[in-house]
Structures are given as C-alpha cells and as structure tokens.
Amino acid sequence: MAQQRAQIQNPNQNIGPERSGSCATVVIIINDMAYVVNVGDSRCIMSLDAGSQIAVCSRDHKPDDEQEKIRIQAAGGKIYRTQTFAKAA
C-alpha cells in the first residue's frame, strides 16, 4: 500500500523492489565484550587509545565482494546491481 501511494505521488521516480535495501549496525556491550552485527552497506569501527587508533569491527556486506557474492548466491539470492550511479549536479 505504501509503495503504491509513493508511486502515485512520485510518478517520475523509480520506486519498487529494485530500489529496496536494508542497512543497520548494532553493537551490544556486555561487561568487557562487544558484540557487533551489521547488515547491508554499513560498518562498525571502534576508537582505541583516546582516538589515536581504530579497530575495524565488521565486514561490509557488498555484492561486489567475492565472499559476499558467494554467500548471497548460495542462499538463493540474485545480484542485480553492483554499481552506484550519482546524479549530475
């Protein structure tokens, strides 16, 4: 229903499943352990030593990454776009 309303209100925009996606990063800290979960085009980094260093805490979920491509296809998913197109200013 919401998709249909959006399409009626914005007839010149491409609104639909080919434009859908998910993105989230969640961190839960219990005692001295950090649990990190990320989905989609998101990442988690952590500041160490008062900001003088960083730690990468997650792996990007991008279909142009070979391991992610294999995981998506093994789960029955399809990859239909791996490029980002920017609008001209």
Side-chain angles (χ1 to χ4, degrees):
M1 187 73 162
Q3 182 178 335
Q4 291 171 339
R5 279 195 308 267
Q7 189 67 55
I8 291 168
Q9 293 170 353
N10 304 292
N12 296 328
Q13 289 185 357
N14 187 7
I15 299 171
E18 65 281 351
R19 304 284 288 173
S20 65
S22 298
C23 177
T25 300
V26 177
V27 179
I28 299 173
I29 299 174
I30 301 173
N31 298 322
D32 62 348
M33 181 66 73
Y35 299 88
V36 178
V37 177
N38 73 305
V39 174
D41 192 3
S42 62
R43 71 178 54 146
C44 180
I45 61 173
M46 179 173 51
S47 172
L48 303 170
D49 298 326
S52 65
Q53 296 181 20
I54 62 165
V56 177
C57 302
S58 64
R59 180 180 167 89
D60 290 356
H61 291 184
K62 295 186 177 189
D64 56 347
D65 176 81
E66 190 60 30
Q67 286 183 337
E68 185 66 4
K69 179 181 176 182
I70 292 168
R71 186 195 68 77
I72 291 167
Q73 292 173 334
K78 297 190 186 303
I79 297 170
Y80 58 89
R81 189 181 112 196
T82 60
Q83 295 176 309
T84 300
F85 298 95
K87 291 183 179 179

